[in-house]
Amino acid sequence: MNADVLVLGGGVIGLTTAVVLAESGRRVRVWSREPAEATTSAVAGALWWPYRIQPEALAGTWALESLRVYGGLAGRAEETGVRIVPGVHADLRMEGLGAWAAEVGGLRTAEPGELPAGYPAGLRARIPLIDMPVHLRWLQKRLAEAGGTLERRVVTSFGQAQARSGAAVVVNCTGLGARELAPDPTLRPVRGQLVLVENPGVTEWFTAADPASAETTYFFPQPGRLVLGGTADEDVWSQEPDPATAAAIVARCARVLPAIGDARVLGHRVGLRPVRTGGVRLTSERLPDGGLLIHNYGHGGAGVTVAWGCARAAAALAG
């Protein structure tokens, strides 16, 4: 089948972009090097929040657009993987956030009794927490229902991809893969390691994530597990879990909530956030044969947070 649009990349950015394009009436094919469950998106803790993403003004707009979509999906949590969950962002203050924060319903300064020991300030919020394996399956199903297709393919150039697909428009949602494919040497990995444990009864999420630090502390209650984090190791490519790092993650989370220290470990995960100097690249250009190439990558630690806003922006560039 020839396509009107070929989307490269099967993570949350690629699949969401493909869904928006397919539901607008275009014939869409998605080519992905790996299955969705093997992408960085599948590893994400997936709390909605503009974390490690630039440019700030655009990211806030994309995030709010996505927030509205997730709010609608939360009514079908078992199907979509989206739930609205309360929690605390420690060490954050309202005045340190962008203009987008004023439009997040329920976001407020935490009272002293709502903060764990050792954290003098923070924010409380009820925001989307997304079970990514479920959400990625739902996106694939929604794409298929809109007539789109998903295939495992390795792409070495945009021209090759366009010629083989017959698509007039190619959308580059390859994440960190764009470093070689675009090529874009300003794209680099920020490694995140997670630990999955049995949930000892945690119902709210917690974060204490200093953007200037390689060590973060957070836990997210997902169905069947508690996700503990984390790390933000710049320019580290290893995807092998490090036992010492895992032990340190558990210890940091247990200092906030001691019951976590006794929880049985279920597994370990590592993902590489695609961080780009200058922030998200959401632009278009012409291919040598006249086809249209749209770039939608470099979402750092907030791909899930901005997915729908960026998908709609990419679709608008497609005309």
Side-chain angles (χ1 to χ4, degrees):
M1 179 192 80
N2 280 352
D4 299 320
V5 182
L6 174 66
V7 176
L8 303 178
V12 69
I13 295 295
L15 288 174
T16 306
T17 300
V19 165
V20 171
L21 288 163
E23 292 183 347
S24 72
R26 296 173 174 90
R27 295 174 301 169
V28 178
R29 299 172 75 177
V30 179
W31 288 359
S32 181
R33 182 178 57 192
E34 59 269 304
E37 60 269 20
T39 63
T40 296
S41 299
V43 178
L47 179 71
W48 181 93
W49 194 257
Y51 172 69
R52 283 185 175 265
I53 185 169
Q54 295 290 334
E56 183 176 301
L58 286 173
T61 299
W62 296 328
L64 289 172
E65 193 165 355
S66 303
L67 178 63
R68 289 187 282 272
V69 175
Y70 291 133
L73 297 178
R76 296 175 285 134
E78 289 189 5
E79 178 187 357
T80 66
V82 182
R83 296 172 295 131
I84 305 299
V85 180
V88 170
H89 281 301
D91 287 341
L92 285 183
R93 291 173 170 82
M94 293 293 289
E95 57 268 26
L97 303 180
W100 56 267
E103 298 188 46
V104 180
L107 179 62
R108 62 174 175 82
T109 299
E111 300 293 335
E114 296 173 318
L115 295 165
Y119 294 98
L123 303 174
R124 275 196 68 84
R126 293 184 75 256
I127 51 181
L129 178 62
I130 302 163
D131 186 350
M132 286 309 295
V134 173
H135 189 63
L136 291 170
R137 288 194 295 271
W138 175 79
L139 284 171
Q140 292 177 73
K141 180 175 180 286
R142 185 163 165 175
L143 174 64
E145 290 172 345
T149 63
L150 174 62
E151 306 164 53
R152 294 278 305 281
R153 296 233 188 172
V154 175
V155 172
T156 57
S157 75
F158 298 123
Q160 170 217 50
Q162 184 185 31
R164 291 185 178 179
S165 67
V169 179
V170 176
V171 188
N172 171 25
C173 301
T174 56
L176 202 54
R179 180 180 171 89
E180 302 299 330
L181 188 60
D184 187 345
T186 71
L187 197 63
R188 67 187 196 281
V190 175
R191 181 182 182 275
Q193 182 167 327
L194 309 175
V195 182
L196 311 183
V197 301
E198 286 186 341
N199 191 337
V202 179
T203 59
E204 296 194 357
W205 51 265
F206 172 85
T207 77
D210 180 355
S213 172
E215 292 186 351
T216 60
T217 302
Y218 57 81
F219 45 83
F220 303 141
Q222 295 283 15
R225 64 201 186 279
L226 185 65
V227 179
L228 312 181
T231 63
D233 301 313
E234 297 186 3
D235 301 308
V236 177
W237 287 89
S238 173
Q239 292 183 267
E240 288 297 316
D242 176 68
T245 299
I249 289 171
V250 173
R252 289 199 299 274
C253 291
R255 283 196 289 271
V256 178
L257 193 66
I260 291 175
D262 298 322
R264 184 169 70 92
V265 174
L266 301 176
H268 303 270
R269 300 288 185 272
V270 173
L272 304 180
R273 305 175 183 93
V275 173
R276 180 175 179 269
T277 302
V280 175
R281 185 179 185 186
L282 221 172
T283 60
S284 64
E285 61 183 280
R286 286 291 168 184
L287 290 166
D289 68 353
L292 182 64
L293 172 63
I294 297 170
H295 297 287
N296 183 11
Y297 68 86
H299 302 84
V304 175
T305 298
V306 300
W308 288 94
C310 287
R312 290 171 177 174
L317 291 175

